[in-house]
Amino acid sequence: MRENGRLGPIEWANAGRPLAGEHSSGDRKIAVAIGDDAALFGVVDGLGHGPAAASAAMRAVDAVQRAPRERLEVLIQLCHRVLAGTRGVAMTLARVDFAAQTLTWSGVGNVTANLVSKEVAGVRIRSTARLAAGIVGYRIPEIRPAQVVSIRLGDLIVLASDGITEDHLDHIDFAASATAIADHILVKHAKDTDDAMVLAARHRGAPT
């Protein structure tokens, strides 16, 4: 489960795999253009693993892809309605607005999202998405307006399901491509006990 591409100034790639012994993964990615002005990224983690988890995740991905221009909190609420009666999912969404150079993100559950920057002293996590507790499709809190942060040339967004260990940003090669970073994180940090998915998105500036 490896894909990559470019949406406006954002180079992105994902890498994932199902739990050993399973043929389908409950961890899925979202990477869609919002016209020429923005891009929407996400990782959706169906609870558990196997076909039922994959079905729930794909239903959420389909719902988001049908209405990508909606506010993130509206998209999560939409998924919550669509996923009634399924296992439910954890999900985090991140929207990049190109002209404003802003990153807007929101999530429910434990799909982590970090904005990583290159600093004089090295690499640091500049911002982390605030995630609400709950299960989309089963029980979620009131979804507050999404958090907005600035995104700069060279910044890296990393979204990871809980099938990826928490220390996955340690020792990454910040100069590498999004594809190389996603592949490295999957190989080095995927757990043996769950599906796994990571999406990396790098602000590369205007295409030449």
Side-chain angles (χ1 to χ4, degrees):
M1 297 174 65
R2 286 177 166 84
E3 296 178 73
N4 60 74
R6 182 158 180 155
L7 296 173
I10 309 300
E11 168 201 61
W12 67 270
N14 74 279
R17 57 109 183 99
L19 176 68
E22 297 286 359
H23 298 291
S24 58
S25 175
D27 290 1
R28 300 286 171 162
K29 71 93 176 66
I30 296 166
V32 295
I34 305 174
D36 296 325
D37 304 319
L40 180 64
F41 301 100
V43 168
V44 179
D45 181 353
L47 263 65
H49 52 82
S55 175
M58 287 305 299
R59 191 178 296 191
V61 169
D62 182 65
V64 170
Q65 290 178 336
R66 288 174 182 270
R69 293 182 181 275
E70 295 285 357
R71 300 190 313 276
L72 301 190
E73 56 268 30
V74 172
L75 286 173
I76 293 172
Q77 291 163 347
L78 174 63
C79 289
H80 183 60
R81 293 194 297 270
V82 168
L83 292 173
T86 72
R87 283 193 178 184
V89 304
M91 62 186 297
T92 296
L93 300 174
R95 171 179 168 141
V96 181
D97 288 276
F98 305 150
Q101 296 197 73
T102 55
L103 167 63
T104 305
W105 48 14
S106 185
V108 173
N110 53 7
V111 174
T112 62
N114 290 286
L115 180 65
V116 186
S117 293
K118 179 70 173 178
E119 306 290 347
V120 174
V123 175
R124 75 177 181 93
I125 297 173
R126 190 155 62 84
S127 186
T128 298
R130 296 191 296 266
L131 307 177
I135 300 170
V136 180
Y138 175 63
R139 183 179 297 146
I140 60 173
E142 179 181 355
I143 305 300
R144 298 178 180 178
Q147 174 188 5
V148 182
V149 298
S150 64
I151 183 169
R152 306 182 301 222
L153 182 67
D155 280 354
L156 177 71
I157 306 163
V158 180
L159 292 86
S161 73
D162 71 341
I164 302 292
T165 61
E166 293 182 0
D167 62 349
H168 59 273
L169 294 177
D170 293 352
H171 311 300
I172 63 169
D173 180 0
F174 191 79
S177 66
T179 298
I181 289 171
D183 284 346
H184 168 82
I185 291 174
L186 181 69
V187 170
K188 296 295 185 181
H189 296 281
K191 299 177 183 177
D192 298 338
T193 54
D194 201 356
D195 303 327
M197 174 65 69
V198 58
L199 186 148
R202 162 69 59 61
H203 189 334
R204 289 293 192 189
T208 56

